[in-house]
Amino acid sequence: MVKTEHPTAERGHARANREAPQPGTSLPPIQPVLRSLNPDIAPGRNGQNPVHLPTTTPTEQSPQGPAIHAELAAEQHVLSTEDFKLHYGKHRALHGITMQIPAGKVTALIGPSGCGKSTLLRSFNRLNDLIENVRVEGRIRFQGQDIHDRKVDVIRLRKKMGMVFQKSNPFPMSILENVVYALRIGGERRRRVLDEVCEKSLRSAALWDEVKDRLHTSALGMSGGQQQRLCIARAIAAEPEVLLMDEPCSALDPIATGKVEELIYALRGKYTVVIVTHNMQQAARVSDYTAFMYMGRLVEYGPTNSIFVNPHLKETESYVTGRFG
Amino acid sequence: MSVVSGTLQSPMQSPPLPGDGGRLPRGGASIVQQGGAESRADLLFALLARGAAIFILIMLGALVLVLTTAAMPSITAFKAHFLASSSWRPNEREVVMRDAKGNIMRDADGEEVTVTLPPEFGALPVIYGTVVSSIIALFVAVPLSIGASLFIVRIGPRIGLLLGPISFLIEFLAAIPSIAYGIWGLFVLAPFLQDHLEPALNAVAGKVFFLRMFHSDQGLTGRDMLCAGLILAVMILPIITSLGRDVLRAVPRVQIEGSLALGATWWQSCQVMLRYGRTGLFGAIMLGLARAAGETMAVAMVIGNANRISSSLFAPAQTMSSLLANEFAEASSNIQRSALVEVALILLVMSLLFNVIARYMIVGRSARPAV
Ligand SMILES: Nc1ncnc2c1ncn2[C@@H]1O[C@H](COP(=O)(O)OP(=O)(O)O)[C@@H](O)[C@H]1O
Ligand SMILES: [Mg+2]
């Protein structure tokens, strides 16, 4: 059924895994789990097992080409990569990624640890520039502009892309100064503007009511969940077009995670969100599209419910059902 | 007791042990303190650590006590005046009396009328000298060394193999004995100041009021407050740099990346680093200051050793420690020795005060780094 062939040793290993008999403790079937998490997700055709649809014929596609679902073609995209490769020194972390990030939607990047999710995310705002010996090939376009072009001002690029990190990183300043940091470094001094932006951003991050009485106290005195929402507020305050989130909930307890997920859900439409997550249930809950990456390659990319319920490739199915990775 | 320390045994698996005799519930026995070698070592180590801490406190107390006792004669003789007075008169001196018009007074025989002034000591000039030379040192060394540590941490990894030698050389500066700095100051820095820098500054600065400190009407010798301050700057540079480098290296990467991701420039992200590490940086600066205030040999060689307060940095001066170095061995009277000990006591209290004020300034702020 699977049209794409993956001759590499890793892929072979994955397949071997998949075909091995599962121990009795394997996860429950994915569909009921997903339905219980998100009722929007439709079951597979006739409630049957995932149906594997051939995307293209083998002659039209390189053996390692990804399965990109047709729905993506209908979307307007704000960010795209074209055969993007990234090397850390001699080690190649991304092997030619070609994908498009739809505007105003939440796109989740999933895949096992070390598959290059963070690397790809950090390539979008060129944060990898800081790391020594990083070399890139191929293109990333933001609003049609090649971001590695010499004309591009990387500071302005980053101002258009908010980023939220795995570990919350409030600066050692007051809550207010944290939120308006982007404005401050842009030279904004007017008290009224700063106060307004602070309130607006904290409200969007659903944090205003919790902190409005202590805006001038240190942000480091907040709880972990509050700190992470503060970081989201700080990213929003700069009015970016894209929000990049790298496992924003991995250090949070379930209640704080729930709040942040609600927030991400509420941000759809206003911002283009790209979220890296380890947690597939989270990807299912918050995202419109999901990209599955493996060993530095994009494997499958499509609407979240088809990726989870009706993936085209066996690899994807194995991963989302928790059989490897 | 034959139960293995530190393992939980289920009651099913452990048969009743001979000798336990029901004193301990089965299965619970293993989590009760065993008083084995491990816990004895723990106890010993705790005692040692506590003992070491107490020992340091006792040392400090003993130091203050001895200094205070030795300084008592001077303290009782001069009281608070010691801190405010600028006179330093180790021996009694006869001076002729003058009348209101300034004419020398004579008695009936035409002899000059004289009074004998007792020895008198005041620490104000040396306190002033210590403070001002340390301020000059910090003024020069802090920007340089913070800049150097930022360079090592932020740019260092990019220059690869060069970083090692640069780091090593900066730290090597700390290992140079202070007498070597003194000789360099005497033969290189002082002549340079005398012949080039000071005449040049003198020419311009005399005309502008607030630059008066860079002006002197006396002859320039190069051995003056400025020279001492600059030597001190060189000497405290490595200590602030290497401590500052460690502090900045410990700033989490996400702090730097967080600011860059918000569109900060290179320098703005450095400011975030400095802000995050400010407690540690302050500590580094404090240690530099302590070294500057206490440094003796090099300063004694280049400061010109003049026990007076001058508004010009181009005038010779004296610091507390250089005064001690110059005079202690040759002190001619007990009261002079006592006065010198009092100066040492003031130096001790002053460095203590520096630290307390520094702590207070840091802790007084509302926003402070975690931990
Ligand atoms: N700074 C770095 N230097 C060298 N190799 C790195 C660096 N960061 C990540 N890598 C490597 O790149 C690969 C992808 O890492 P990453 O993007 O962090 O994966 P993920 O976020 O999916 O867990 C891994 O093999 C990792 O070891
Ligand atoms: Mg990662």
Side-chain angles (χ1 to χ4, degrees), chain B residues 320-357:
Chain B
M320 292 194 242
S321 35
S322 72
L323 174 74
L324 292 173
N326 280 321
E327 291 199 1
F328 208 87
E330 295 147 21
S332 53
S333 62
N334 283 339
I335 189 76
Q336 185 182 3
R337 211 164 291 132
S338 177
L340 287 169
V341 173
E342 193 178 347
V343 169
L345 187 66
I346 294 170
L347 184 56
L348 184 79
V349 172
M350 224 166 87
S351 20
L352 213 66
L353 222 64
F354 278 155
N355 274 291
V356 171
I357 292 169

Side-chain angles (χ1 to χ4, degrees), chain A residues 122 129-130 169-170 185 220, chain B residues 158 254-255 257 263 268 368:
Chain A
R122 292 159 54 89
D129 287 10
L130 300 184
N169 56 348
I185 59 176
L220 301 166
Chain B
R158 288 182 190 268
V254 282
Q255 286 280 326
E257 290 184 344
Q268 283 165 339
R368 79 193 103 131

Side-chain angles (χ1 to χ4, degrees), chain A residues 122 125 127 129-132 155 158-159 161 163 165 169-174 181 185 216 218 220 234-235, chain B residues 154 157-158 253-265 268-269 272 275-276 278 366-370:
Chain A
R122 292 159 54 89
N125 63 352
L127 215 49
D129 287 10
L130 300 184
I131 299 168
E132 300 82 51
I155 305 276
R158 288 181 186 145
K159 283 191 183 188
M161 297 204 190
M163 189 168 216
F165 294 78
N169 56 348
F171 301 136
M173 311 169 182
S174 69
Y181 180 81
I185 59 176
H216 297 282
S218 169
L220 301 166
R234 188 173 67 183
Chain B
R154 289 295 300 270
R158 288 182 190 268
R253 219 188 152 81
V254 282
Q255 286 280 326
I256 306 160
E257 290 184 344
S259 64
L260 287 172
L262 285 163
T265 59
Q268 283 165 339
S269 71
V272 169
R275 196 180 174 110
Y276 190 91
R278 66 188 188 274
S366 59
R368 79 193 103 131

Side-chain angles (χ1 to χ4, degrees), chain B residues 108-185:
Chain B
D109 304 335
E111 295 282 314
E112 293 171 348
V113 181
T114 61
V115 283
T116 307
L117 297 177
E120 199 196 343
F121 300 94
L124 194 60
V126 286
I127 295 176
Y128 174 83
T130 300
V131 170
V132 173
S133 60
S134 303
I135 290 175
I136 297 172
L138 288 185
F139 219 81
V140 176
V142 167
L144 279 178
S145 41
I146 302 287
S149 14
L150 269 177
F151 172 82
I152 292 172
V153 174
R154 289 295 300 270
I155 303 178
R158 288 182 190 268
I159 58 174
L161 289 178
L162 271 176
L163 182 62
I166 290 178
S167 267
F168 171 77
L169 281 178
I170 289 173
E171 261 159 55
F172 182 69
L173 287 178
I176 297 175
S178 60
I179 191 87
Y181 281 109
I183 290 171
W184 179 75

Side-chain angles (χ1 to χ4, degrees), chain A residues 27-31 33-34 50 110-111 280-281 283 290 292 300 304 306-311 313-324:
Chain A
L27 289 171
I30 187 72
Q31 288 181 25
V33 172
L34 285 171
I110 61 169
M280 279 171 288
Q281 297 166 357
T290 295
F292 170 52
E300 183 160 357
T304 295
S306 7
I307 293 289
F308 282 95
V309 179
N310 199 6
L313 301 181
K314 284 270 184 192
E315 280 74 12
T316 315
E317 190 202 352
S318 309
Y319 183 72
V320 299
T321 53
R323 267 176 246 160
F324 87 93

